[in-house]
Amino acid sequence: MDEVFKALADASRRRLLDSLNARNGQSLRELCAGLDMARQSVSKHLAVLEAADLVTTVWRGREKLHYLNAAPINAIAERWIDQYDRERVRALADLKTALELAPMAGNAFAYTTYINTTPERLWQALTDPAFTRRYWGVAFETDWKAGSPMIWDERGAKTADPAQVVLESEPCRRLSYTWHTFTPEWAEAAGVSDEVLTKVVEERRSKVTFEIEPLGQMVKLTVVHDGFEPGSTVLEMVGEGWPQLLCDLKTLLETGEPLPTPDRVGQGA
C-alpha cells in the first residue's frame, strides 16, 4: 500500500488518473496531448502508477494503451477508509466513490488483480464448472479450444449462439471468448428488466480476455473486456460486476470459500 500512497501523493499523477477515469484506454500520445505534459514526464509518472498497480497496460498491435485499475484504491478503502472517518482520508474516499459511480469511459474495461495461487489453479477456476458456479453462478459447456462454440448455463438458463465462441486458448496463459447472447430467458434468470434487455440486445457483441502471468508465489490476472459501442449499457453493467466477481474469485482461490454475495457479473451482463 505504501507505493499506492506515494503514487497518489503527486498532483501530476492524480491528473493522469483523472484523465483515464474520464476516458480509459489512452495511448501515451493521447495522454500527453490531453494533459499538456512533456512525453518524458508522462512516461515517468506512468511508470510509477504502473508499479503501484494503479494503471494497467494492454498492447493493441504496436500501440500500448493505458487503463485505470481501481483494485489498489478499493484495497485502501477496505483497509483504511471503511474503518476510519477522518478528514485526511476524505480525498481517497471521494476518489473511490467516483470510480464506483462514474460511467465507464472509452470502449473497454480493464482490471488487474494479484492472487496467491498458481497459473494452473487459476486456469481451472476460469474454465471448470465446479469452480465457476461457486463464485460466478455460471457454467460453460465447451472444450476450450479456439473456435469452439460455448454454451452459457446461468441459473438454469442456457444460452447458445453461433457467434458465442472461444477466440483464444493458451492454457494457464491466455483465454479469450465472445460475450454471451442476451435472451429473455437470461434476463429473467438474471433479474434484468425488459427495458435494459431491449438496450443490450441492440448492441454489438463484446469479448473478454484473461491474461495470466506468474509472479513468484503469486499470479497476476488482467481482465480486459472490450469491443463495446460508445455509451454502451453492457459496458456500464460489466464495469459494476467484474470487480465483485474477481474479488470473489480471489477469495475462493486463497481461502477456499467465496464471499457471501448475491450479485455476480451475470446479473450485470
Side-chain angles (χ1 to χ4, degrees), residues 128-253:
D128 188 340
F131 271 89
T132 57
R133 285 191 186 279
R134 294 189 67 189
Y135 67 90
W136 195 339
V138 175
F140 303 101
E141 297 179 17
T142 181
D143 60 10
W144 295 113
K145 295 180 180 179
S148 292
M150 299 177 67
I151 297 176
W152 289 53
D153 185 347
E154 182 176 355
R155 299 179 180 89
K158 290 193 175 184
T159 305
D161 189 279
Q164 206 169 271
V165 297
V166 179
L167 297 173
E168 299 178 71
S169 183
E170 299 179 47
C172 307
R173 294 184 57 188
R174 183 179 175 90
L175 178 65
S176 180
Y177 49 81
T178 58
W179 203 235
H180 67 80
T181 304
F182 303 111
T183 65
E185 292 76 17
W186 163 82
E188 181 178 359
V192 173
S193 69
D194 292 341
E195 180 182 0
V196 173
L197 176 62
T198 300
K199 291 181 180 180
V200 298
V201 296
E202 294 177 350
E203 296 185 14
R204 65 170 175 251
R205 189 182 299 272
S206 60
K207 75 177 191 299
V208 64
T209 301
F210 303 88
E211 297 182 357
I212 301 171
E213 180 183 350
L215 290 175
Q217 295 182 338
M218 303 188 73
V219 176
K220 176 183 178 182
L221 172 64
T222 299
V223 179
V224 178
H225 197 152
D226 58 5
F228 299 100
E229 300 175 351
S232 168
T233 298
V234 179
L235 174 55
E236 183 177 350
M237 294 164 70
V238 300
E240 296 174 357
W242 273 122
Q244 179 64 61
L245 187 146
L246 294 172
C247 184
D248 288 350
L249 169 61
K250 175 180 171 69
T251 302
L252 175 60
L253 285 171

Side-chain angles (χ1 to χ4, degrees), residues 7 46 65 115 208 212:
L46 285 173
L65 303 181
I115 305 175
V208 64
I212 301 171

